[in-house]
Structure formats: structure tokens, C-alpha cells
Amino acid sequence: MEIDRIAADWAAREDLRPLHQDEEQELETWLQQDARHLGAYGRAKAILLRTQAVQADRPMALDPSLPLAAQEAPLPAVPDDYAAASARMARRRLLLSGLAASVVAVAGGSVWLRGRGGLEAGQLYRTAHGEIRTIPLEDGSVLTLNTASAVRVAFRPEARDVELIEGEAFFKVAKDRARPFTVRNADRAVRAVGTAFSVRAFDDAVQVLVQEGRIRFGPSRPDAGAQALYADANMEIVDRLGQGKPLVRTMSPSDLAQSLAWLDATLSFNETSLQQAALEFRRYSSTPILLAPGIDHMSITGRFSSNDPVGFAEAVAQVLDLKVERTAQGIKLSPHEGR
């Protein structure tokens, strides 16, 4: 993805030396152009820090509770003409500190578990309710876990295997034709070489969204008999238990971006019912959005921070002329009295 390439270039350039004033301004302008730019830049910085920690043979000491600037090694002294650039860098670090909890590389312990169709050994990564985490993998791939999700990663010389235990994950796969990258969930498997895609596990279904490249979707066991399917960029596969043949459809780039908005810690709605929007927010927050009878069918369009149900409810109240109340049970939306 072009955004990721540009972000990685800026992170590497900044790591080599202090940026010149015109470079600082160029980076600042790029970061402000699109909210996704800051997220990509934060991921690139996290990957760079992880790489440096491995090379130095020491653990990476990032504490999500502290500003990112307080955890970096001191920078060398710079000339006075970098003063303005340093101030901009400090502001940028402050912005990135808000992403620290989601872009740190976590070191999961090695586990030995045996489950139905699951990997017997591997590295376990998981997220708590409301947490989004980006994890650089040893092969150069990048894994992003959505809220309340868990995966087990087992890399071998001949293959790269991941088991999606629960929830949702996005994979930016490093190209290595000698080692296919396979994501398994129950009895299904998604195989890729170098691509970007997400997999979400529901109670009775699995959904695959392809952002770039091509994936192969089919049974996890070669002898299962079902025919494999292929999906390219901007395509979706939904496989429901008992449905028979999986549903495959082409998505518009805007619809795909809406479905993957969680990568930037946002939720994107387009004429989405308040009932569905409230359910989506419940995935990320322990504070429920409560809807009075008769308004659950009303729709909303917009992009909102996934961890701010209060801000969402207040925006909805303004747009749809509703009343918002904070109660012990949650945030309640209801019509104004007498209307």
C-alpha cells in the first residue's frame, strides 16, 4: 500500500538523522492530509523500534501509559535552526503517544496448546476489549489485532501458519514464495504469498476482506473435498456454516475502506441504522449505547472514534434531533418529549 511505503520511508529517514526544516514541514503536511497517514506513520515507527530492539538483543521497553517521547533514547544535539522542527516533532510524538497502546510490538509467550484444528505450538497474541494492537512479525509481515481478538503464530522454515482463535485480524504479508502465509479458523484456511487482507471470525461464519494482492480460500485440510476459491483486491468472502458455497462479491474501494476503518481506531458508517452502530460501538467500549423504542431504525453517516461512544451519541443527537442522557446503565438516546 502506497501510504505504508511513504510512512516507512519517513520513519527510516528520521531514524538516520534529524530532518531538515523543509523535510519537517513536508512530513507535517503529509500527516495532516489524511487520518490514515498518522496511523501508518505510527505503525512504521513501531516496526522500526522492534527491529532495533531485536538487533540490540534487548527487550523493547515501550509502556503504553507513558508518552512515546519519554521512552525514546535521547537525540543528539542539533543546531539552533532545528528549533522549530523540534517543536513540531514534539507535537507529533504527543499525537503518536495516543497510538502507543495500539502500535507497540508485544512479546507473547510461547504456548503449547492442542485444539480442534488448531496449531499445536506457537506464539500467542491477544487484545483486550476495546484494544487494537499492531505486531511486527519476524518475517517482516505485520499483524493488526482488532478488539477482543486472539491469534497463534507458528513460523517454520517451510511455512508461515497463523490460527485466528477469535475476533478479527488484518495481515500485511511480506512476500516469500518459498513460505506460504496461511491463516486458519476452524476448518477454513486463507493462503497468501504477499498481500494485505483481514479475517474475522463470527460464531457461525468467517469473513475475508482483500485489500491488495490475491488470496486462496478453502478447507484447511487438503483432503476435505471442497473446491478452493480465489479473491483479488476489493473482494469479500463470507462463509457461513450450513450455507454451502461461500459468498464472493466485489466491493467498492470506499466500502472496503469503511469495513477496515478500525485499523485507524475509527468506525465508519454509511446510512447505517442506529441499532447496528450501537452494536459496533459495544465491541470497543464497556459503556453501551441505549436506544429508546422507535429510533433504532434511524440511520447515521460519518466516521467516529471507536473508543468514544459519548462523542458518537452527542453527534447523533445533534444530527437527528435526539436527546442524549448519561445513565448508570449507559448512554441513552431518545426523542425529545412531545415530539
Side-chain angles (χ1 to χ4, degrees):
M1 191 175 180
E2 184 67 10
I3 291 176
D4 292 322
R5 186 194 64 76
I6 296 173
D9 178 71
W10 277 117
R13 198 187 314 180
E14 196 173 27
D15 183 63
L16 288 174
R17 57 168 174 79
L19 298 180
H20 298 295
Q21 188 170 358
D22 57 340
E23 291 177 313
E24 278 286 345
Q25 187 58 53
E26 183 182 353
L27 174 57
E28 194 77 14
T29 300
W30 184 76
L31 290 173
Q32 293 176 4
Q33 285 175 349
D34 192 315
R36 294 174 299 171
H37 293 182
L38 182 62
Y41 177 72
R43 289 193 293 272
K45 294 283 284 186
I47 295 169
L48 186 62
L49 286 169
R50 173 61 174 167
T51 302
Q52 292 170 343
V54 171
Q55 291 173 343
D57 194 25
R58 57 178 172 81
M60 188 174 63
L62 279 180
D63 182 347
S65 67
L66 297 176
L68 190 61
Q71 302 175 64
E72 295 179 344
L75 292 173
V78 295
D80 292 340
D81 60 355
Y82 283 107
S86 297
R88 288 193 297 272
M89 187 179 294
R91 289 196 301 272
R92 187 157 62 247
R93 283 174 177 162
L94 182 61
L95 286 171
L96 284 171
S97 69
L99 297 171
S102 63
V103 299
V104 297
V106 296
S110 181
V111 295
W112 292 85
L113 297 173
R114 188 185 300 270
R116 184 176 66 86
L119 299 176
E120 295 183 1
Q123 197 117 13
L124 179 67
Y125 301 99
R126 65 171 62 251
T127 51
H129 183 210
E131 180 185 16
I132 298 173
R133 178 174 290 170
T134 296
I135 305 157
L137 301 179
E138 64 185 53
D139 68 327
S141 299
V142 179
L143 156 69
T144 304
L145 278 180
N146 203 351
T147 174
S149 300
V151 297
R152 186 174 295 114
V153 179
F155 284 1
R156 306 187 307 279
E158 72 279 6
R160 298 172 289 174
D161 289 326
V162 178
E163 179 190 2
L164 178 63
I165 301 170
E166 62 179 335
E168 184 174 15
F170 181 85
F171 304 91
K172 180 78 172 178
V173 181
K175 291 184 179 180
D176 186 349
R177 295 191 178 280
R179 293 202 303 165
F181 191 103
T182 304
V183 180
R184 307 176 194 278
N185 174 255
D187 57 351
R188 301 107 156 178
V190 182
R191 175 169 291 191
V193 174
T195 185
F197 64 96
S198 70
V199 183
R200 181 176 177 181
F202 297 87
D203 289 339
D204 62 345
V206 63
Q207 176 198 50
V208 180
L209 300 176
V210 186
Q211 186 185 66
E212 62 181 64
R214 188 179 225 212
I215 62 96
R216 176 186 184 276
F217 180 87
S220 58
R221 292 184 297 105
D223 58 346
Q227 185 177 3
L229 302 172
Y230 292 88
D232 298 309
N234 298 318
M235 295 186 72
E236 174 191 35
I237 297 177
V238 177
D239 187 12
R240 296 190 180 279
L241 292 176
Q243 177 180 274
K245 189 177 180 180
L247 170 68
V248 183
R249 73 181 183 102
T250 300
M251 304 177 71
S252 68
S254 60
D255 285 345
L256 180 66
Q258 178 178 331
S259 297
L260 295 176
W262 64 269
L263 291 169
D264 297 320
T266 61
L267 293 175
S268 181
F269 302 125
N270 183 17
E271 293 297 318
T272 304
S273 70
L274 291 185
Q275 182 181 39
Q276 183 59 40
L279 288 173
E280 280 298 303
F281 268 98
R282 196 70 176 93
R283 295 179 64 199
Y284 298 89
S285 175
S286 57
T287 303
I289 297 173
L290 309 173
L291 304 176
I295 69 168
D296 56 344
H297 66 284
M298 299 176 74
S299 62
I300 188 69
T301 296
R303 197 177 182 101
F304 307 90
S305 175
S306 59
N307 61 0
D308 186 14
V310 175
F312 169 76
E314 290 175 346
V316 166
Q318 287 287 329
V319 172
L320 299 180
D321 192 24
L322 298 173
K323 180 174 63 175
V324 60
E325 300 174 273
R326 301 189 192 187
T327 71
Q329 290 75 37
I331 306 164
K332 185 177 181 180
L333 285 168
S334 58
H336 290 283
E337 294 181 6
R339 298 186 190 179

